């Protein structure tokens, strides 16, 4: 099942709803479809039960666990019926052109991005030795959940960079809380997968990491996810083809291949001393030759960047124009300095 968040116009302003893409590419409003299903079965308090089991927010559906997912599947099957269109509370099914897709998790619980694809790190280090600890533990940085962008959002160009880059990745979406999870059981904690574009300002990232911390400013300005979350049972992580097109030109293509650490191993590692929560995102790291840094090519102002993953879809963003004025090369000093 491919789950989305979408926005549609209403007399009282934009409404944000959780939905699912059915086979003919229409979008079913899961909450309203489940409400209609319950009413058809003469269930009392249908609206209240639907709001509890299949709320109009995808993160809340994920938090609802297996019971909510089962109800969402029922709602999709019911809502996709050809004869069903509207119920008294609103429209159950929408044409994609009539709604605006949002980031499936507009504010994830957390975001960790890992570096576990060997081809990427070797290409990025351009012949340098790999750090010994890369082979021993799945290292990550924490991303900014306040800077999440969705399909067709414009990505602002940061005023401190001349080397704007995309990164072709997949995110695992955690579906239930857990701590001290063994790798053998960790697969059941993955709700699904989405496309992840880990936007990067490579020049400032390189400079800040010479201090021994980061990445931070070089990453925190934008993260794109979407267009949907495909449930784990319907996604072939090992074999799905990933592609990146910049202004229609194919720049990157490949699969995740052999990750140094699998997602179950990653989950075991990070849950040893912290509790994972529904809505946590775990980035795979970039596929080999999956970013401009590896190709020595950079995204230009105004470019359209399309990342596609078989079984998930296409995540498309346009890059904004470079801000007017001189490049901000250094942080401003305080009057005390």
């Amino acid at each position: 099942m491919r789950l989305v968040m979408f926005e549609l116009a209403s007399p009282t302003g934009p409404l944000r709803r959780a939905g699912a893409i059915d086979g003919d590419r229409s979008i079913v409003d899961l909450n309203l479809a489940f409400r209609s299903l319950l009413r058809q079965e003469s269930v009392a308090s249908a609206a209240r039960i639907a709001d509890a089991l299949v709320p109009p927010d995808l993160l809340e559906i994920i938090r609802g666990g297996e019971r909510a997912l089962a109800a969402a599947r029922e709602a999709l099957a019911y809502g996709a019926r050809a004869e069903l269109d509207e119920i008294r509370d609103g429209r159950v099914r929408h044409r994609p052109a009539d709604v605006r897709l949002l980031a499936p998790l507009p504010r994830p619980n957390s975001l960790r991005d890992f570096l576990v694809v060997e081809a990427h790190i070797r290409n990025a280090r351009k012949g340098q030795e790999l750090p010994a600890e890369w082979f021993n533990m799945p290292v990550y940085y924490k991303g900014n959940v306040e800077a999440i962008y969705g399909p067709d959002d414009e990505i602002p160009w940061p005023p401190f960079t001349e080397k704007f880059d995309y990164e072709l990745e997949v995110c695992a979406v955690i579906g239930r809380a857990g701590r001290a999870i063994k790798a053998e059981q960790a697969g059941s904690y993955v709700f699904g997968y989405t496309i992840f574009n880990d936007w990067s300002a490579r020049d400032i990232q390189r400079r800040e990491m010479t201090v021994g911390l980061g990445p931070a400013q070089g990453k925190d300005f934008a993260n794109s996810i979407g267009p949907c979350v495909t449930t784990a049972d319907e996604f072939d992580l090992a074999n799905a083809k990933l592609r990146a097109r910049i202004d229609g030109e194919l720049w990157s293509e490949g699969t995740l291949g052999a990750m140094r650490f699998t997602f179950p191993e990653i989950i075991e590692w990070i849950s040893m001393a912290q509790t994972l929560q529904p809505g946590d995102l775990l980035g795979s790291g970039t596929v080999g030759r999956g970013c401009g840094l590896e190709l020595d090519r950079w995204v230009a102002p105004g470019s359209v960047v399309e990342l596609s993953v078989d079984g998930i879809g296409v995540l498309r963003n346009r890059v904004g124009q470079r801000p007017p004025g001189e490049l901000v090369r250094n942080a401003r000093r305080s009057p005390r300095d």
Side-chain angles (χ1 to χ4, degrees), residues 9 20 34 65 67 103 180 193 202 217 220 235 247 279-280:
F34 196 64
R67 191 178 180 193
Y193 297 89
R202 294 299 189 186
Q217 186 81 325
D220 278 354
F235 181 64
D247 295 324
D280 286 345

Side-chain angles (χ1 to χ4, degrees), residues 2-336:
R2 289 175 297 159
L3 298 160
V4 298
M5 284 293 296
F6 65 93
E7 184 178 86
L8 69 159
S10 81
T12 58
L15 293 177
R16 295 188 168 195
R17 309 286 296 176
I21 302 172
D22 72 17
D24 64 1
R25 302 287 180 173
S26 65
I27 295 171
V28 171
D29 185 312
L30 293 173
N31 175 265
L32 292 185
F34 196 64
R35 185 181 302 186
S36 180
L37 172 61
L38 294 177
R39 283 181 176 146
Q40 186 183 71
E41 296 175 349
S42 301
V43 175
S45 305
R48 181 177 58 81
I49 294 172
D51 288 347
L53 279 181
V54 193
D57 180 86
L58 180 52
L59 180 54
E60 293 305 315
I61 292 175
I62 294 171
R63 287 173 174 154
E66 289 296 330
R67 191 178 180 193
L69 182 58
R73 291 188 191 281
E74 287 186 69
L76 174 59
Y78 179 80
R81 294 177 188 173
E83 69 271 15
L84 181 66
D85 195 2
E86 293 191 25
I87 62 173
R88 71 186 189 212
D89 300 297
R91 194 173 184 86
V92 169
R93 192 172 56 244
H94 302 272
R95 295 183 307 165
D98 294 336
V99 302
R100 175 183 168 229
L101 285 185
L102 307 171
L105 299 175
R107 192 193 184 284
N109 188 64
S110 71
L111 171 59
R112 300 171 179 86
D113 195 22
F114 293 80
L115 184 62
V116 295
V117 179
E118 187 167 351
H120 168 64
I121 188 173
R122 287 196 182 277
N123 293 338
R125 291 179 67 83
K126 303 187 185 302
Q128 299 178 48
E129 286 287 323
L130 268 60
E133 292 296 353
W134 181 83
F135 296 94
N136 298 328
M137 67 179 79
V139 177
Y140 65 93
Y141 79 93
K142 280 195 170 180
N144 183 7
V145 297
E146 303 293 345
I148 298 294
Y149 291 85
D152 294 311
D153 286 344
E154 183 172 287
I155 309 301
W157 187 289
F160 44 73
T161 188
E162 292 179 307
K163 293 186 175 180
F164 196 93
D165 204 0
Y166 70 96
E167 300 209 43
L168 178 57
E169 305 189 28
V170 167
C171 261
V173 182
I174 295 297
R176 59 193 181 103
R179 188 181 181 95
I181 305 162
K182 295 300 182 184
E184 293 76 17
Q185 288 81 46
S188 66
Y189 285 79
V190 177
F191 177 87
Y193 297 89
T194 191
I195 303 172
F196 177 37
N197 192 341
D198 168 29
W199 300 97
S200 302
R202 294 299 189 186
D203 37 9
I204 196 71
Q205 178 190 353
R206 175 182 54 79
R207 287 175 54 201
E208 66 187 358
M209 291 184 71
T210 63
V211 181
L213 290 176
Q217 186 81 325
K219 300 277 192 180
D220 278 354
F221 59 91
N223 299 284
S224 294
I225 60 172
C228 66
V229 173
T230 298
T231 51
D233 61 312
E234 296 189 13
F235 181 64
D236 186 353
L237 178 66
N239 299 306
K241 271 287 182 69
L242 290 77
R243 300 173 181 88
R245 288 182 170 85
I246 315 301
D247 295 324
E249 180 185 354
L250 182 66
W251 282 25
S252 305
E253 183 175 25
T255 63
L256 281 175
M259 298 165 67
R260 175 64 184 174
F261 299 93
T262 65
F263 278 120
E265 290 169 335
I266 285 170
I267 290 169
E268 179 178 60
W269 171 252
I270 61 176
S271 70
M272 283 196 299
Q274 53 186 312
T275 301
L276 298 188
Q277 298 290 345
D280 286 345
L281 297 183
L282 309 180
S284 63
T286 307
V287 301
R289 297 181 63 79
C291 65
L293 177 65
E294 298 176 64
L295 307 172
D296 199 25
R297 303 180 73 176
W298 308 108
V299 175
S303 287
V304 175
V305 177
E306 295 176 296
L307 305 188
S308 65
V309 177
D310 293 347
I312 300 178
V314 179
L315 176 60
R316 181 184 302 104
N317 295 105
R318 182 180 295 277
V319 175
Q321 295 297 317
R322 190 180 274 120
E326 186 179 356
L327 179 73
V328 179
R329 297 184 182 276
N330 297 292
R332 292 183 175 87
R333 295 181 180 274
S334 73
R336 296 190 299 273

